[in-house]
Amino acid sequence: QRLKAAVHYTVGCLCQELADERGVQFSKQTIAAISEVTFRQSGTQCLRGYFLILCRHAKRSTVTTEDVKLLARRSNSLLKYITQKSEELASSNMEQKEKKKRKSSAPKGRRTSEEQEAAVIESEDSNMA
């Protein structure tokens, strides 16, 4: 469903670009029809075959985001969207790894260094009073 929606969005953007360049209008039904044809023509079998060829050529068994970008390179708006989402996911994954790393590095049942510093400062303040 999300892939189909992305295809519909991209087709809509391309139709809008053409409309601006050539002064033509596209109805919503026309955009939907073009999207449906595009989605069916690209089809999962075609994509699957394309990705298999890429992976074999690169001597890999995993499809990467670079493979997807390579497929989308003909559509600037689709390539831009995929690149943006890829960067967002990478950033999110890095943040999650950092959080897990911080949690696992802090010993259980013991204070973190920040908590220890706060406790030392607090005890020094109470000793001065």
Side-chain angles (χ1 to χ4, degrees):
Q1 266 326 73
R2 294 180 79 186
L3 179 60
K4 199 170 189 176
V7 169
H8 183 77
Y9 173 77
T10 303
V11 167
C13 291
L14 293 171
C15 288
Q16 185 60 47
E17 286 177 22
L18 278 174
D20 293 343
E21 287 176 11
R22 308 237 169 114
V24 205
Q25 293 296 320
F26 291 88
S27 69
K28 290 181 180 180
Q29 293 84 5
T30 303
I31 293 171
I34 293 170
S35 299
E36 188 64 30
V37 168
T38 303
F39 186 77
R40 287 185 185 187
Q41 286 296 317
S42 65
T44 54
Q45 291 299 321
C46 181
L47 292 175
R48 182 175 172 262
Y50 182 80
F51 289 132
L52 285 174
I53 290 169
L54 281 175
C55 287
R56 283 186 190 148
H57 176 72
K59 297 178 180 149
R60 292 184 275 109
S61 60
T62 305
V63 176
T64 66
T65 54
E66 295 306 314
D67 296 331
V68 178
K69 289 178 188 177
L70 196 60
L71 175 65
R73 72 184 181 273
R74 292 185 186 137
S75 168
N76 288 335
S77 58
L78 182 59
L79 180 59
K80 184 179 176 182
Y81 178 79
I82 290 171
T83 302
Q84 178 187 4
K85 288 298 179 185
S86 172
E87 290 170 356
E88 287 174 11
L89 285 171
S91 174
S92 175
N93 286 342
M94 289 299 289
E95 289 173 7
Q96 288 178 353
K97 285 181 182 179
E98 287 296 320
K99 285 180 183 178
K100 286 181 182 178
K101 190 183 249 185
R102 279 187 251 137
K103 282 183 180 178
S104 65
S105 66
K108 293 181 180 176
R110 299 182 73 188
R111 294 181 178 173
T112 64
S113 59
E114 294 157 354
E115 291 172 337
Q116 288 174 348
E117 287 177 29
V120 168
I121 292 170
E122 189 177 302
S123 66
E124 287 175 353
D125 288 345
S126 64
N127 287 341
M128 291 180 141

